[in-house]
Amino acid sequence: MSTITAIILARNEEQHIADCIKSIQCADEILVIDDGSTDRTVEIAENLEAKVIHHALNGDWSQQRRFGISQASCDWILFIDSDERVSPELAKSIKKAIQGELKSYWLRRYNLFHHNQATHGVVRPDKVLRLMPREGATVEGAVHEAFISPYPNGILEGKLYHYTYDNWHQFFEKFNKYTTAAANKYRKQNKQCSFLGDIIFRPMWAFFKIYILQGGILDGKIGFLLSVYHMMYTMTKYVKLYYLNKSNGRL
C-alpha cells in the first residue's frame, strides 16, 4: 500500500501552520522544513505531530524543496505551502490517486485574498503540479519554482485553497522579497534590461493583460488595485535588475 509525505516550507508561519497541517491528515508523514522561525511555528507543528527539520532557505525555494524530498520516507510527495489548505474532497482524491498508477498530478488552486472577493486577474484560479511519486521528483528555479516529475500528468478533483495575503503589510513584504529575488535570478542568468522596453512598456502590458484580458476589471476596486500592483511588481523587478546590471558594468 503506497504512502505519502507532505512537505511544507515554513518561516514564522504561526498564523497558518496549524490549519495547513490539519488539512493534510491524508498524509502518512508531514515534514515542516523550517527556515529559522522565531515565532511559535515549530512548537505548533510539533504539537500536531509534524516532523520539523531545520534547514536554511538562503533565498532559494527550489533547493529547500529538494532538501525536503531528500528527507521524505514515503512513496509519494505532496508539496503544500503553509498558506494553502487541502479541501476534504481533494484529500479523498489524493488518497485514491496514490494507490493507482504512477502519475504526477495537477491540483486546482483557488486564491483567496483576505476580506476581498476577487476571482479574476492575478488571483484567478490556476493549476499547480504538487503531487507526484518521490522517485525522479525534483524542483528547479529560485523564484516561482518549477516542479518536475518524469511521470505522465493528471488532474485531481477537489480544491486547493490558497490564502494569498492576510493584510496589505504582508502583501508589500512579499512584494519586496519576490521582486528582489526575481532581479537576482535574472542577473545570474545575465539577462539584459532595457529602460524603455522593460521598465516602461512591459509594465503597461502587464496591467492591460491582468486588468482587461484576464478580467481584473470584473472585480471592481480590488481588481483595479491588484492590477496596478501587478504592473508595479513588473516594473520594480526590472528596475532592481537595471541597477544591479548598472552596478556591475553591464549597462
Side-chain angles (χ1 to χ4, degrees):
M1 190 170 184
S2 296
T3 56
I4 181 171
T5 296
I7 299 174
I8 309 169
L9 305 190
R11 176 181 170 82
N12 294 338
E13 294 287 354
E14 64 180 7
Q15 292 182 333
H16 290 286
I17 197 70
D19 287 342
C20 179
I21 291 173
K22 290 175 183 177
S23 79
I24 51 173
Q25 292 304 304
C26 58
D28 300 281
E29 177 183 55
I30 299 175
L31 300 183
V32 175
I33 312 301
D34 184 72
D35 177 35
S37 290
T38 55
D39 63 2
R40 296 181 59 242
T41 297
V42 172
E43 174 191 348
I44 293 169
E46 290 180 338
N47 285 342
L48 291 171
E49 300 184 349
K51 181 180 179 181
V52 178
I53 303 175
H54 301 279
H55 191 262
L57 177 69
N58 291 327
D60 189 336
W61 283 266
S62 290
Q63 69 82 21
Q64 192 78 327
R65 294 193 195 274
R66 289 194 299 269
F67 174 78
I69 295 172
S70 73
Q71 300 301 303
S73 63
C74 294
D75 309 303
W76 289 72
I77 297 292
L78 171 67
F79 293 102
I80 182 169
D81 293 338
S82 57
D83 58 0
E84 294 174 336
R85 312 284 181 265
V86 171
S87 68
E89 183 185 6
L90 178 57
K92 291 179 182 178
S93 296
I94 290 171
K95 292 179 72 173
K96 181 179 178 181
I98 66 172
Q99 302 308 327
E101 62 181 302
L102 296 179
K103 297 177 70 174
S104 51
Y105 289 98
W106 293 81
L107 311 185
R108 293 184 173 93
R109 182 171 63 176
Y110 291 77
N111 300 293
L112 304 173
F113 190 2
H114 194 52
H115 297 314
N116 295 284
Q117 299 299 317
T119 57
H120 301 85
V122 293
V123 291
R124 68 195 183 282
D126 58 356
K127 292 192 293 290
V128 287
L129 187 66
R130 294 293 187 79
L131 176 66
M132 61 198 70
R134 179 167 56 89
E135 184 181 356
T138 189
V139 187
E140 295 181 356
V143 184
H144 303 305
E145 59 272 37
F147 299 85
I148 299 170
S149 172
Y151 295 97
N153 287 187
I155 302 176
L156 287 187
E157 293 299 319
K159 295 180 179 180
L160 176 68
Y161 292 109
H162 180 209
Y163 291 83
T164 53
Y165 307 104
D166 293 324
N167 50 60
W168 286 106
H169 176 74
Q170 187 183 80
F171 177 94
F172 286 114
E173 279 190 332
K174 289 189 176 181
F175 181 101
N176 186 52
K177 179 171 68 175
Y178 289 144
T179 53
T180 297
N184 287 330
K185 173 188 174 182
Y186 291 158
R187 183 183 64 172
K188 289 178 182 178
Q189 295 173 341
N190 294 316
K191 184 178 179 65
Q192 298 301 306
C193 180
S194 161
F195 191 91
L196 183 64
D198 293 316
I199 295 178
I200 296 179
F201 290 120
R202 189 186 290 269
M204 293 170 63
W205 164 247
F207 174 83
F208 179 78
K209 180 176 66 175
I210 293 296
Y211 193 59
I212 302 299
L213 299 183
Q214 296 180 0
I217 192 173
L218 300 175
D219 289 329
K221 294 177 182 178
I222 187 63
F224 176 76
L225 290 174
L226 291 175
S227 298
V228 168
Y229 287 136
H230 179 70
M231 176 181 72
M232 293 302 299
Y233 175 91
T234 304
M235 177 183 289
T236 301
K237 69 180 179 180
Y238 281 103
V239 167
K240 289 181 177 181
L241 174 63
Y242 184 84
Y243 284 99
L244 282 173
N245 286 346
K246 191 171 184 179
S247 67
N248 284 276
R250 294 179 181 173
L251 294 178

